[in-house]
């Protein structure tokens, strides 16, 4: 893809995935990688930042003798996601106007 994904857009994508259900780190990476190219090494700093900003929380669940760390969106994260969705629609609509020559 020719376009770079900025930090805010990546944050929005992570929160959107978590808005559907809690997921563990690798599963989150797989979900996002099915749409955009991202590595785990890129994703985990995003998760830490979102956790620090209280947009998500973590909890561990046992799985095959090990623990999986799950990520869950908070109410504050849901509010931020609504802001991102509004901003995204406005941004997308404006870019569409330019790309289609309808400005």
């Amino acid at each position: 893809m020719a376009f770079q994904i900025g930090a805010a857009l990546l944050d929005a994508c992570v929160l959107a995935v978590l808005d559907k259900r809690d997921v563990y780190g690798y599963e989150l990476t797989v979900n996002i990688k099915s749409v955009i190219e991202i590595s785990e090494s890129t994703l985990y700093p995003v998760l830490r930042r979102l956790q620090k900003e209280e947009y998500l929380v973590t909890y561990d669940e046992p799985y095959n003798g090990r623990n999986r760390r799950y990520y869950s969106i908070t109410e504050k994260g849901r509010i931020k996601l609504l802001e991102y969705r509004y901003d995204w629609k406005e941004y997308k609509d404006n870019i569409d106007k330019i790309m289609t020559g309808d400005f």
Side-chain angles (χ1 to χ4, degrees):
M1 179 183 288
F3 303 103
Q4 295 290 321
I5 297 172
L9 185 53
L10 190 53
D11 290 356
C13 290
V14 168
L15 292 174
V17 170
L18 294 175
D19 193 41
K20 294 186 181 297
R21 65 183 176 87
D22 298 355
V23 295
Y24 61 96
Y26 178 74
E27 181 182 16
L28 182 60
T29 302
V30 169
N31 288 335
I32 293 177
K33 279 179 86 168
S34 70
V35 179
I36 56 178
E37 190 158 329
I38 186 173
S39 68
E40 285 181 65
S41 62
T42 300
L43 184 63
Y44 284 103
V46 171
L47 292 169
R48 283 191 296 275
R49 184 178 66 253
L50 291 173
Q51 185 177 7
K52 182 178 179 183
E53 293 172 0
E54 299 178 347
Y55 295 147
L56 60 85
V57 293
T58 64
Y59 62 92
D60 293 340
E61 289 284 328
Y63 178 79
N64 287 342
R66 298 181 0 184
N67 279 340
R68 280 187 174 166
R69 173 141 303 157
Y70 283 81
Y71 296 87
S72 179
I73 191 169
T74 63
E75 189 58 35
K76 186 176 177 181
R78 283 190 173 85
I79 292 167
K80 187 64 177 177
L81 178 58
L82 287 174
E83 292 173 20
Y84 280 141
R85 284 179 170 154
Y86 176 83
D87 290 347
W88 172 252
K89 180 172 179 2
E90 185 176 359
Y91 178 79
K92 180 186 171 300
D93 289 349
N94 289 335
I95 296 298
D96 284 346
K97 286 177 189 174
I98 293 170
M99 297 299 274
T100 61
D102 190 24
F103 56 96

